[in-house]
Amino acid sequence: MASTIENDVKQIILVISQLPGTIDDLNNDTTLPELGYTGNMCNQLAQRLDHYVKSKKTATGVSNAEIACDETVQDIIDLITKKLS
Amino acid sequence: MKTSILFTICLCWATYSFGQTPGAESTASPFFSNLQIRKSFEAADVLQKPVQLLYTAPHDGKNSWLADAGIGITLGKLSTGTFTSKLTAEYHRNTLIDAEQNNFQAGYNFNIFGGNGDGVNSFYTTAITGTTKYVRDKIKDDHSFVATLNLTPYLSGAQSAAGQYGFNLGRPGYTKGLKNTYQVGPAFEVQYQQILSSASGIKGGIIRPLVDLFAAISINQVPVAGAPIVAPKKIIEFSFDYINRYAVANSTGNSEGFTKLFKGGVDYYIAFREGGPQASLGLSYNVGSDPLEGLKNQRFWEFTLQFKL
């Protein structure tokens, strides 16, 4: 059973990619470049995740440099889960 | 010597990248995961063209070069929030054209990318990229200090109730059914070049504002319904890039005024995996010059086998 954080992060990644489909069809081992992400799209993802993390009342946000553009969906989920734990 | 080192690093990175599976990439060391290869680092995210590398050493006769590549390493300690720092190096050499190009650049690059981040409405920002670097032009035999500031508008269209996305600027977008991938945008830049020494005795400073207009559209292989989500495979891509500059201040006496560079081309993908290795046949028409990259004013057709890792 996927956690709420995992589903939220996958939904954010999917919306920024602008690809059709649902998070059920988004594999965790898919890399951001495989979803068509460019450098600035990774920065946009970092900004969106920063907003998401701060909305959960966490002190530590997400910086652009923390989202390396060769990471997988699972890497991003792990990063956000760690920040919110 | 410096160029040989850069060329070797590019080839080593190419070998390393081809040896990785998508799953393995995430386990690479932080140093490599933050290493990028591009044609240039002056702008944040304009059309991402493959690097070009070609070297031939005939038994008799002159060696031939075509190298248009750069590498960048993110400096984690000097990056925070929306601010990212990199060390970059670029090498531009082409001995296959009328007026040869041989240009090496190395320096510091920063990127500022902020925005609303709420993810509900459209996302708009201006990506700011600055560089300070040393530039060596071996054809003109000069050494320069260069500083550039680039502004690239970035718009990510909002999602409608029907699930369609609005128009994008400065990032890729898709037409209905993922039949086409497009990317359009302008970029604005100011370059300051201080020529420190030159074999011709030219010294002084040049300030060049420039406008860059770029666009690309590809015809895609439509994804199979129900398959895991990935970006569609490109089959053929058409692109153009037009840059117009003007030396508003020039104390060198080299009479540089307006300069322009147009590049239009088509790429046919032999092998394509979004985010992975790509191979394409590229045909492009180039006219104009690029003073900072040591490309003299000329026109030429270029037909290349290109790899993007």
Side-chain angles (χ1 to χ4, degrees), chain B residues 97-133:
Chain B
I97 51 180
D98 291 339
E100 288 189 16
Q101 177 188 24
N102 191 345
N103 179 280
F104 172 78
Q105 313 184 358
Y108 169 78
N109 169 293
F110 71 84
N111 176 257
I112 301 171
F113 186 100
N116 53 20
D118 61 16
V120 177
N121 300 309
S122 62
F123 181 96
Y124 175 78
T125 192
T126 300
I128 302 170
T129 305
T131 61
T132 55
K133 56 191 174 185

Side-chain angles (χ1 to χ4, degrees), chain A residues 27-83:
Chain A
N27 290 344
N28 287 17
D29 61 356
T30 302
T31 64
L32 297 180
E34 285 175 321
L35 297 171
Y37 270 71
T38 62
N40 274 343
M41 289 170 69
C42 293
N43 288 335
Q44 183 187 351
L45 175 62
Q47 292 297 295
R48 179 72 188 95
L49 292 172
D50 182 63
H51 187 273
Y52 173 76
V53 168
K54 286 176 177 170
S55 72
K56 302 288 183 186
K57 311 292 185 193
T58 297
T60 314
V62 179
S63 73
N64 291 0
E66 285 182 279
I67 305 294
C69 226
D70 60 351
E71 289 181 329
T72 64
V73 171
Q74 187 63 52
D75 294 332
I76 307 297
I77 292 168
D78 292 344
L79 174 73
I80 301 305
T81 304
K82 190 176 174 185
K83 282 185 179 287

